[in-house]
Amino acid sequence: MPVYEYECQDCKEEFEYLLLSKDSKIHCPKCNGEHIIKKMSLCGFASGDKFTSSSPGGSACSGCTSTNCSTCK
């Protein structure tokens, strides 16, 4: 089952949720709000000693190994 990233529009909490069915009702774990949007997720993979990351919209990510890269976020 896929894990998706969401953001609550009420309190701006970002969280992940294991979606068990497309009909699942998602609530914010912080405020129990129902105004939830699915975020575009980043993906990445490692091959040998090189890490490659992709981001929505084709940003200029250079595949850095930093976890706090301003071009990948």
Side-chain angles (χ1 to χ4, degrees):
M1 296 292 161
V3 174
Y4 292 105
E5 295 179 49
Y6 294 91
E7 181 179 326
C8 176
Q9 294 298 287
D10 296 330
C11 71
K12 303 300 182 200
E13 175 76 5
E14 295 181 3
F15 60 96
E16 294 180 346
Y17 183 78
L18 174 63
L19 193 61
L20 299 175
S21 101
K22 66 179 183 170
D23 298 326
S24 294
K25 188 71 172 170
I26 302 170
H27 292 86
C28 175
K30 183 176 180 182
C31 73
N32 205 32
E34 296 181 4
H35 300 103
I36 308 297
I37 60 168
K38 187 182 341 181
K39 296 179 62 176
M40 182 67 77
S41 298
L42 300 176
C43 63
F45 63 92
S47 176
D49 62 348
K50 184 176 179 174
F51 179 80
T52 303
S53 175
S54 67
S55 59
S59 76
C61 181
S62 61
C64 62
T65 57
S66 172
T67 58
N68 191 17
C69 177
S70 63
T71 60
C72 295
K73 284 191 154 196

